[in-house]
Amino acid sequence: MSNPLYDGLFGVHSGKSTPFLFLADGRVISHEMFLEMGARIAHVMTRIGLAPGDRVAVQVDKSPEALAIYAACAQAGLVFLPLNTAYTVDELSYFIENSGAALIICDSARRSGLTQIAQSLGAQIETLDANGSGTLIDQARAMPAQFDTVNRTGDDLAAFLYTSGTTGRSKGAMLTQANLLSNAQTLVDEWRFTDADVLLHALPIFHTHGLFVASNVTLAAGGSMVFLPKFDVDQIIEWMPKTTTMMGVPTFYTRLLSDDRFTRDLTAHMRLFVSGSAPLLAETHVQFETLTGHRILERYGMTETNMNTSNPYDGDRRAGTVGLPLPGVELKITDPDTGKTLPTGEIGQIEVRGPNVFKGYWQMPEKTAAELRADGFFITGDLGKTDHDGYVQIVGRNKDLIISGGYNIYPKEIELVLDDQPGVLESAVIGVPHPDFGETVLGIIVPENGQSPDLDGMMQAVRTSLARFKHPRQLILIDELPRNTMGKVQKNILRDQYREMFTP
Ligand code: MLC
Ligand code: AMP
């Protein structure tokens, strides 16, 4: 019997009483306690009738139990589908329906809002609250602490992560056991993780960064994590002395740099700081080194691929670059029109191939074919170039995407809501620079002839249907959108025009 993901990340720690999670309230969860928690949850899920391959949609606050659901899914051969806690019921309904989830695990406050969709799809609902209580855990307590791991191969699905698209419809990226395990093992080697590492974990665990990069790497190395509910600068400063490494989005680093308590002394014992999910300004890299003496290690990845490139642990960590392709990952820069590989130094679309690259989008063969070539190369939608040493620099995006504080926002999704509002002829949503979030959302509205749309009403409509982090920070009325001769909206002109709106 084998189950590569469970055996490689979880089962390998069986019987270990060493700490795995240090919690903000002082509790410590050992590897063994965590495995038992996962096994009990696996029993609950199989006893309510779930079978290998079924999807488990999970929208819960960060907690040890929430991470144990991931372990349980791996052990029972279920597909783990984590969802951002900011998603509205509208957004959730789409994910649940599209994935055909057999079980929904949500906060008890969300249960009634999801009952109808669950009933219509024949899905069951269990609850898990931030404090670790709920119907899932009530049942788990009565279950055995050991579970017979379900046989799986590396090619079997382990997780679905939804990622929005340029059409506004989210796609479920299907990740296999081998995708996740191979990337975790590569990163352990590249970043020299060991069982002596204590990772300062303040990221959410519903996206690639906090779930797969941070948690999988720690699990694969047998280390531990200070597992904080969210990024809170006071807690980071309090806990940093007890840790050896930290992973974060650039906002973590800019916020730390602007706090007087964040000093060279506080970080002197740290082994490694990693940044990703959004561009780290070269200026932030330099400021961080000047203050602390540490060179942040920047890496580049995405939902569909896990991590693709990384600056070297030992070699030159170059500010403004995302480093070199990871071992086993092939990366090429191609002409977006012809797909031909471009010479070194020229800007083109970044394509990647390797054991980390996902299997495709769930039940969307056309979208899969458009982005994942038959030869295995995935077209990332990022624009970049390489230099003669092989370092990759990301210079822009070939996709209409905003990244705010590390969260991806697809303008189309917001434009569809705005366009639907009374008195609106059309809209354009753009990302503009923001000192804290890197980029933020600006909504530009063209009213119908003679109309003056109600901007407050419009924001209310946005609030009802879209997660908070996607809301435009401001709405602006203009007479018409700039267009090229083909009639396409020239968002670059709008971005230039409004680029200083939120910068001091
Ligand atoms: C929170 N808000 C955001 C936001 N996060 N708005 C825009 N962008 C964000 N990222 C909202 C809050 O709901 C709040 O709304 C208001 O903005 C201000 O909140 P805050 O207190 O300043 O935010 P905070 O809770 O501190 O969160 C900021 C953050 C967080 C940067 C710490 O967003 C975060 O942890 N980001 C990490 C995202 C991540 O893990 N990305 C990885 C994706 S994987 P209100 O209404 O209360 O004012 C990936 C692949 C890869 O990309 O390569 O890694
Ligand atoms: P997601 O779909 O949420 O996984 O986000 C993936 C996207 O985040 C990539 O396609 C990039 O555009 C961006 N990204 C991730 N890491 C970096 C980085 N280090 N620098 C710039 N952009 C990044």
mmCIF file of all heavy atoms in Angstrom, residues 379-395:
data_model
loop_
_atom_site.group_PDB
_atom_site.id
_atom_site.type_symbol
_atom_site.label_atom_id
_atom_site.label_comp_id
_atom_site.label_asym_id
_atom_site.label_seq_id
_atom_site.Cartn_x
_atom_site.Cartn_y
_atom_site.Cartn_z
ATOM 1 N N ILE A 379 1.677 27.883 -20.080
ATOM 2 C CA ILE A 379 1.849 29.313 -20.398
ATOM 3 C C ILE A 379 1.367 30.105 -19.183
ATOM 4 O O ILE A 379 0.180 30.145 -18.887
ATOM 5 C CB ILE A 379 1.039 29.673 -21.667
ATOM 6 C CG1 ILE A 379 1.426 28.747 -22.821
ATOM 7 C CG2 ILE A 379 1.236 31.141 -22.030
ATOM 8 C CD1 ILE A 379 0.474 28.788 -24.006
ATOM 9 N N THR A 380 2.316 30.709 -18.471
ATOM 10 C CA THR A 380 1.987 31.292 -17.162
ATOM 11 C C THR A 380 1.171 32.577 -17.256
ATOM 12 O O THR A 380 0.508 32.936 -16.286
ATOM 13 C CB THR A 380 3.278 31.643 -16.392
ATOM 14 O OG1 THR A 380 4.001 32.609 -17.189
ATOM 15 C CG2 THR A 380 4.140 30.424 -16.135
ATOM 16 N N GLY A 381 1.287 33.293 -18.382
ATOM 17 C CA GLY A 381 0.620 34.599 -18.465
ATOM 18 C C GLY A 381 1.497 35.712 -17.904
ATOM 19 O O GLY A 381 1.124 36.879 -17.954
ATOM 20 N N ASP A 382 2.663 35.349 -17.371
ATOM 21 C CA ASP A 382 3.607 36.367 -16.906
ATOM 22 C C ASP A 382 4.587 36.676 -18.024
ATOM 23 O O ASP A 382 4.952 35.797 -18.820
ATOM 24 C CB ASP A 382 4.376 35.854 -15.669
ATOM 25 C CG ASP A 382 3.461 35.725 -14.469
ATOM 26 O OD1 ASP A 382 2.768 36.706 -14.154
ATOM 27 O OD2 ASP A 382 3.411 34.633 -13.865
ATOM 28 N N LEU A 383 5.024 37.941 -18.055
ATOM 29 C CA LEU A 383 6.019 38.342 -19.056
ATOM 30 C C LEU A 383 7.360 38.507 -18.364
ATOM 31 O O LEU A 383 7.420 39.078 -17.264
ATOM 32 C CB LEU A 383 5.613 39.676 -19.692
ATOM 33 C CG LEU A 383 4.312 39.650 -20.499
ATOM 34 C CD1 LEU A 383 3.938 41.061 -20.945
ATOM 35 C CD2 LEU A 383 4.454 38.735 -21.718
ATOM 36 N N GLY A 384 8.406 37.989 -18.997
ATOM 37 C CA GLY A 384 9.703 38.099 -18.351
ATOM 38 C C GLY A 384 10.840 37.918 -19.321
ATOM 39 O O GLY A 384 10.642 37.788 -20.537
ATOM 40 N N LYS A 385 12.038 37.947 -18.766
ATOM 41 C CA LYS A 385 13.235 37.706 -19.568
ATOM 42 C C LYS A 385 14.272 37.004 -18.692
ATOM 43 O O LYS A 385 14.163 37.029 -17.453
ATOM 44 C CB LYS A 385 13.793 39.012 -20.117
ATOM 45 C CG LYS A 385 14.168 40.024 -19.058
ATOM 46 C CD LYS A 385 14.686 41.296 -19.700
ATOM 47 C CE LYS A 385 15.071 42.310 -18.623
ATOM 48 N NZ LYS A 385 15.631 43.530 -19.131
ATOM 49 N N THR A 386 15.243 36.384 -19.356
ATOM 50 C CA THR A 386 16.331 35.771 -18.589
ATOM 51 C C THR A 386 17.631 36.477 -18.964
ATOM 52 O O THR A 386 17.725 37.082 -20.035
ATOM 53 C CB THR A 386 16.492 34.269 -18.921
ATOM 54 O OG1 THR A 386 16.608 34.142 -20.336
ATOM 55 C CG2 THR A 386 15.305 33.463 -18.445
ATOM 56 N N ASP A 387 18.623 36.391 -18.072
ATOM 57 C CA ASP A 387 19.914 36.959 -18.447
ATOM 58 C C ASP A 387 20.898 35.818 -18.722
ATOM 59 O O ASP A 387 20.518 34.641 -18.667
ATOM 60 C CB ASP A 387 20.420 37.937 -17.372
ATOM 61 C CG ASP A 387 20.769 37.237 -16.064
ATOM 62 O OD1 ASP A 387 20.849 35.989 -16.061
ATOM 63 O OD2 ASP A 387 20.960 37.945 -15.061
ATOM 64 N N HIS A 388 22.145 36.177 -19.022
ATOM 65 C CA HIS A 388 23.094 35.134 -19.434
ATOM 66 C C HIS A 388 23.443 34.174 -18.303
ATOM 67 O O HIS A 388 23.934 33.071 -18.541
ATOM 68 C CB HIS A 388 24.332 35.765 -20.080
ATOM 69 C CG HIS A 388 24.013 36.288 -21.454
ATOM 70 N ND1 HIS A 388 23.822 35.461 -22.530
ATOM 71 C CD2 HIS A 388 23.769 37.541 -21.885
ATOM 72 C CE1 HIS A 388 23.495 36.181 -23.592
ATOM 73 N NE2 HIS A 388 23.456 37.451 -23.231
ATOM 74 N N ASP A 389 23.179 34.558 -17.064
ATOM 75 C CA ASP A 389 23.416 33.635 -15.946
ATOM 76 C C ASP A 389 22.186 32.782 -15.652
ATOM 77 O O ASP A 389 22.179 31.991 -14.712
ATOM 78 C CB ASP A 389 23.750 34.414 -14.666
ATOM 79 C CG ASP A 389 25.003 35.247 -14.831
ATOM 80 O OD1 ASP A 389 25.873 34.833 -15.626
ATOM 81 O OD2 ASP A 389 25.092 36.311 -14.183
ATOM 82 N N GLY A 390 21.099 33.024 -16.412
ATOM 83 C CA GLY A 390 19.889 32.221 -16.215
ATOM 84 C C GLY A 390 18.889 32.823 -15.243
ATOM 85 O O GLY A 390 17.818 32.256 -15.025
ATOM 86 N N TYR A 391 19.213 33.958 -14.634
ATOM 87 C CA TYR A 391 18.266 34.598 -13.704
ATOM 88 C C TYR A 391 17.042 35.088 -14.468
ATOM 89 O O TYR A 391 17.161 35.631 -15.566
ATOM 90 C CB TYR A 391 18.914 35.793 -12.980
ATOM 91 C CG TYR A 391 19.803 35.382 -11.834
ATOM 92 C CD1 TYR A 391 21.049 34.800 -12.078
ATOM 93 C CD2 TYR A 391 19.408 35.564 -10.511
ATOM 94 C CE1 TYR A 391 21.859 34.410 -11.022
ATOM 95 C CE2 TYR A 391 20.227 35.184 -9.462
ATOM 96 C CZ TYR A 391 21.447 34.605 -9.724
ATOM 97 O OH TYR A 391 22.254 34.221 -8.684
ATOM 98 N N VAL A 392 15.896 34.894 -13.862
ATOM 99 C CA VAL A 392 14.640 35.293 -14.497
ATOM 100 C C VAL A 392 14.142 36.587 -13.849
ATOM 101 O O VAL A 392 14.155 36.732 -12.620
ATOM 102 C CB VAL A 392 13.555 34.197 -14.290
ATOM 103 C CG1 VAL A 392 12.233 34.603 -14.932
ATOM 104 C CG2 VAL A 392 14.051 32.855 -14.834
ATOM 105 N N GLN A 393 13.704 37.481 -14.720
ATOM 106 C CA GLN A 393 13.123 38.731 -14.228
ATOM 107 C C GLN A 393 11.698 38.827 -14.762
ATOM 108 O O GLN A 393 11.486 38.638 -15.965
ATOM 109 C CB GLN A 393 13.965 39.895 -14.735
ATOM 110 C CG GLN A 393 13.705 41.170 -14.001
ATOM 111 C CD GLN A 393 14.548 42.317 -14.559
ATOM 112 O OE1 GLN A 393 15.500 42.105 -15.321
ATOM 113 N NE2 GLN A 393 14.170 43.521 -14.217
ATOM 114 N N ILE A 394 10.753 39.080 -13.868
ATOM 115 C CA ILE A 394 9.363 39.247 -14.319
ATOM 116 C C ILE A 394 9.171 40.734 -14.595
ATOM 117 O O ILE A 394 9.438 41.564 -13.724
ATOM 118 C CB ILE A 394 8.370 38.761 -13.246
ATOM 119 C CG1 ILE A 394 8.596 37.265 -12.998
ATOM 120 C CG2 ILE A 394 6.924 39.008 -13.669
ATOM 121 C CD1 ILE A 394 7.746 36.681 -11.913
ATOM 122 N N VAL A 395 8.713 41.048 -15.818
ATOM 123 C CA VAL A 395 8.602 42.476 -16.151
ATOM 124 C C VAL A 395 7.147 42.920 -16.305
ATOM 125 O O VAL A 395 6.871 44.102 -16.445
ATOM 126 C CB VAL A 395 9.392 42.840 -17.426
ATOM 127 C CG1 VAL A 395 10.864 42.577 -17.254
ATOM 128 C CG2 VAL A 395 8.855 42.089 -18.632
#
